[in-house]
Amino acid sequence: MNLSAQDHQTFFTCDSDHLRPADAIMQKAWRERNPQARITAAHEALDLEECATAYILLAEEEATTIVEAEKLFKQALKVGELCYRRSHTLQHHGSQYEAQHRRDTNVLVYIKRRLAMCSRKLGRTREAVKMMRDLMKEFPLLSMFNIHENLLESLLELQNYADVQAVLAKYDDISLPKSATICYTAALLKARAVSDKFSPEAASRRGLSTAEMNAVEAIHRAVEFNPHVPKYLLEMKSLILPPEHILKRGDSEAIAYTFFHLQHWKRVEGALNLLHCTWEGTFRMIPYPLEKGHLFYPYPVCTETADRELLPTVFHEVSVYPKKELPFFILFTAGLCSFTAMLALLTHQFPELMGVFAKAFLSTLFAPLNFIMEKVESILPSSLWHQLTRI
């Protein structure tokens, strides 16, 4: 996904940009809110000198096809590699050069990642996988671009499940931040081992096997991390194009994950059926998810507000965390007990007054019945009415 305006300024600018005219223009361009003004500024920077970040901006915002974007990213790569090599040799000459090298590294990694994504979108999946692997090997510490998530999706497209498991083993670590891609891909791999033979009726009779239990636990883990994904995967809710920016554990992340991964779930026989039968059990496992989680921190309540800003309100209803609904019988019993306790307390404190209220209430309650009895007595003969009362 594209970076936010703040991310652009953090990754693509540094304090020494004023020393190079093109970089000085791009520093202002990243702050500009008007898209056309940003594009104009990028062309102005390129008129002065070759500038990698200017090519990035044009590839992201002016190019109308992936082929055009790939061409601009390739031009950006030539300039980016030259700047990276130059700043790499000077990085130890002071804090200014170190900041330049950090910026040039971010630019180079971003360009290579976007080129890999262009290859993936153009159907050159094996080439994209190689580019991503090389990039992760060259810059192992730069995880903020989430290259491993793009790699997981590409490997799933190739149905190379062994390599998917190897990537998960490295990145699905307790100390690393999670995402819907990591959690649901792990669930998909475990479901793949049992889903083709899974039957709810058979499982209820004989109980779950160890492999089936592992798959269900993985699904519960994934649903706890992002509870909005299953409704999109099961097509219980309409899917839209993913937004430009996403929020972890939010509806926006669920849409983006499902948009790119639904085909991989459909390809595994029975995986969606297993998900359909088990995903709602997560909410019984964590009855108060906004206050206490099971495997993750409590679900943040602020995601709904942020998702409303990220997603279109006109034709998409934002998915919110399912509220725990109490059965009517429990609510009715609780209300009846509370009412009885209140009456007992009032009777103890004000016995005479409550006696008057009780008589008035009972007379009012039986007034319609007394009225009906009087009418019946006036209509029926007295001898018949006398025989009925004796019966």
Side-chain angles (χ1 to χ4, degrees):
M1 310 302 288
N2 292 341
L3 301 176
S4 67
Q6 185 60 50
D7 289 335
H8 281 135
Q9 293 175 51
T10 303
F11 296 143
F12 298 158
T13 64
C14 67
D15 294 336
S16 62
D17 280 347
H18 64 278
L19 300 176
R20 291 193 292 191
D23 287 336
I25 293 175
M26 288 309 299
Q27 192 173 47
K28 294 178 181 177
W30 293 123
R31 297 194 187 111
E32 180 61 57
R33 289 181 177 272
N34 186 338
Q36 191 55 48
R38 289 198 298 272
I39 292 170
T40 303
H43 283 294
E44 289 177 6
L46 289 173
D47 289 339
L48 295 177
E49 59 181 329
E50 292 284 276
C51 178
T53 52
Y55 282 123
I56 289 175
L57 191 148
L58 294 178
E60 297 280 13
E61 302 194 22
E62 189 179 45
T64 55
T65 65
I66 298 174
V67 174
E68 290 177 24
E70 185 181 40
K71 183 179 178 181
L72 287 166
F73 276 123
K74 285 180 177 178
Q75 292 177 278
L77 181 63
K78 293 178 183 177
V79 184
E81 286 179 332
L82 185 64
C83 292
Y84 174 77
R85 286 195 295 268
R86 188 187 305 134
S87 62
H88 183 71
T89 58
L90 299 173
Q91 63 176 315
H92 301 298
H93 291 193
S95 58
Q96 172 185 319
Y97 294 103
E98 187 178 344
Q100 281 185 7
H101 178 64
R102 187 163 52 248
R103 187 273 309 274
D104 292 338
T105 302
N106 290 336
V107 170
L108 183 62
V109 171
Y110 185 79
I111 293 169
K112 287 187 173 182
R113 173 183 175 262
R114 296 300 274 175
L115 278 171
M117 291 305 297
C118 287
S119 296
R120 167 70 184 93
K121 292 301 174 189
L122 292 171
R124 305 195 303 266
T125 310
R126 295 188 184 278
E127 179 186 333
V129 168
K130 184 180 183 306
M131 293 169 71
M132 292 175 196
R133 288 191 183 280
D134 292 343
L135 187 56
M136 292 165 64
K137 192 179 296 183
E138 188 178 359
F139 302 97
L141 300 178
L142 287 181
S143 60
M144 68 271 196
F145 292 119
N146 296 324
I147 304 165
H148 57 280
E149 296 189 13
N150 302 133
L151 178 60
L152 285 172
E153 195 279 326
S154 300
L155 290 172
L156 285 171
E157 176 63 24
L158 295 173
Q159 301 184 47
N160 196 339
Y161 298 109
D163 283 355
V164 172
Q165 184 61 61
V167 174
L168 281 176
K170 184 176 180 181
Y171 288 96
D172 194 4
D173 186 80
I174 193 169
S175 62
L176 295 176
K178 299 293 180 290
S179 66
T181 300
I182 289 176
C183 293
Y184 278 90
T185 301
L188 176 61
L189 288 192
K190 285 190 169 63
R192 178 174 170 269
V194 298
S195 59
D196 58 335
K197 299 175 183 176
F198 178 78
S199 167
E201 295 80 11
S204 63
R205 287 196 305 271
R206 58 172 169 77
L208 294 174
S209 65
T210 304
E212 288 172 340
M213 185 64 74
N214 290 337
V216 171
E217 287 177 355
I219 288 172
H220 286 174
R221 173 178 179 261
V223 174
E224 181 185 351
F225 181 82
N226 193 317
H228 311 296
V229 173
K231 284 192 174 181
Y232 293 111
L233 285 177
L234 298 171
E235 299 180 79
M236 298 164 64
K237 189 170 183 183
S238 299
L239 189 64
I240 62 170
L241 284 170
E244 184 180 1
H245 312 297
I246 63 173
L247 179 70
K248 289 291 178 68
R249 304 188 75 177
D251 189 24
S252 51
E253 183 193 34
I255 290 170
Y257 170 79
T258 309
F259 187 84
F260 295 109
H261 286 259
L262 178 58
Q263 57 182 330
H264 307 317
W265 279 82
K266 286 185 174 181
R267 193 177 290 138
V268 177
E269 184 184 354
L272 289 174
N273 177 49
L274 179 60
L275 178 69
H276 173 72
C277 295
T278 58
W279 75 279
E280 290 180 303
T282 311
F283 307 129
R284 292 191 294 273
M285 186 175 63
I286 41 173
Y288 303 103
L290 304 183
E291 302 168 15
K292 186 178 181 181
H294 178 59
L295 299 170
F296 300 100
Y297 288 110
Y299 187 83
V301 294
C302 61
T303 53
E304 182 181 345
T305 305
D307 276 331
R308 290 191 188 283
E309 296 179 3
L310 292 171
L311 295 167
T313 56
V314 179
F315 57 89
H316 178 75
E317 183 181 351
V318 171
S319 178
V320 297
Y321 205 105
K323 292 181 174 61
K324 186 175 177 62
E325 296 181 0
L326 292 173
F328 173 76
F329 177 75
I330 294 178
L331 295 174
F332 176 76
T333 305
L336 187 61
C337 291
S338 301
F339 180 70
T340 306
M342 184 182 69
L343 283 180
L345 179 63
L346 290 173
T347 304
H348 178 73
Q349 293 291 330
F350 313 103
E352 295 181 1
L353 185 61
M354 289 301 293
V356 173
F357 274 122
K359 289 178 181 177
F361 175 74
L362 290 174
S363 62
T364 305
L365 184 65
F366 287 108
L369 184 60
N370 291 332
F371 176 78
I372 293 172
M373 294 286 287
E374 289 174 1
K375 289 294 184 184
V376 170
E377 285 182 8
S378 63
I379 295 172
L380 293 176
S382 57
S383 58
L384 180 60
W385 178 247
H386 178 68
Q387 293 296 326
L388 288 173
T389 53
R390 286 184 63 186
I391 294 171

